[in-house]
Amino acid sequence: MSVSPVELLMQVIDRSWSVVRHLVRGHVWIYRASRGRLGQHVPGVPPMLLLDHIGAKSGSLRTTPLVYMPDGDRYIIVAAKGGHPNNPAWLHNLRAHPVVTVQIGARSVEMSARELGPAERRALWPQALAYTSHWRRYARRVPPSRTIPLIALETVSGS
């Protein structure tokens, strides 16, 4: 059975988190330094935001660049972790500390992260899959026992 180039790349990334972590830090630095002029738009990838969140155990500030899907006055992010069997660490952090800061381009805003319940997720999942081939590919890779969580980033009252 042959493996597609994209699947091969995903397998390499799965085994290379120590290297990928440095690339992510570089991406965040470039995004921030350019006030979103660089890093928000990566060729072949939908727009990206920077998610500042608090570590569930450490209490340390973390920043994660993520693809987002606009949905009215909120943004949807997908906790796919590339189709990995486990959820990404940032999801665990959002569950513990849902108030986050989101940077899109030069604009930063405080938001609240809310994991969508089953009915809302079912209604929005087809839109997410239609939004980008990346999320479709991740959905095909994920084990059947794992449901990929969808997170709504919503404006905090008074912001």
Side-chain angles (χ1 to χ4, degrees):
M1 183 165 109
S2 71
V3 176
S4 76
V6 171
E7 181 59 29
L8 184 60
L9 176 63
M10 294 305 298
Q11 289 173 7
V12 169
I13 290 171
D14 286 347
R15 293 187 207 103
S16 307
W17 279 110
S18 60
V19 173
V20 171
R21 188 174 303 121
H22 294 293
L23 295 173
V24 168
R25 282 189 193 128
H27 183 180
V28 169
W29 186 88
I30 289 167
Y31 197 118
R32 289 239 198 268
S34 71
R35 297 184 41 84
R37 287 186 298 279
L38 301 173
Q40 181 182 2
H41 299 283
V42 176
V45 179
M48 299 185 79
L49 57 75
L50 294 183
L51 179 72
D52 291 334
H53 51 100
I54 303 297
K57 291 181 184 175
S58 70
S60 299
L61 181 64
R62 309 274 187 220
T63 301
T64 306
L66 295 167
V67 167
Y68 68 94
M69 179 179 76
D71 184 52
D73 59 354
R74 65 184 186 171
Y75 304 108
I76 304 299
I77 54 177
V78 176
K81 195 177 179 182
H84 194 272
N86 301 315
N87 287 324
W90 60 259
L91 177 63
H92 180 66
N93 295 342
L94 296 186
R95 287 172 173 164
H97 304 284
V99 176
V100 299
T101 300
V102 173
Q103 181 179 342
I104 297 178
R107 181 176 172 258
S108 291
V109 63
E110 187 174 84
M111 302 190 97
S112 182
R114 180 177 61 84
E115 190 169 347
L116 301 184
E120 196 175 6
R121 184 196 177 281
R122 257 190 318 277
L124 201 55
W125 185 240
Q127 282 179 255
L129 293 179
Y131 184 69
T132 175
S133 63
H134 298 283
W135 291 344
R136 288 192 300 276
R137 188 169 30 263
Y138 302 159
R140 287 193 302 269
R141 290 186 80 219
V142 75
S145 60
R146 178 174 176 239
T147 299
I148 297 173
L150 296 183
I151 310 300
L153 300 173
E154 302 164 324
T155 304
V156 174
S157 297
S159 289

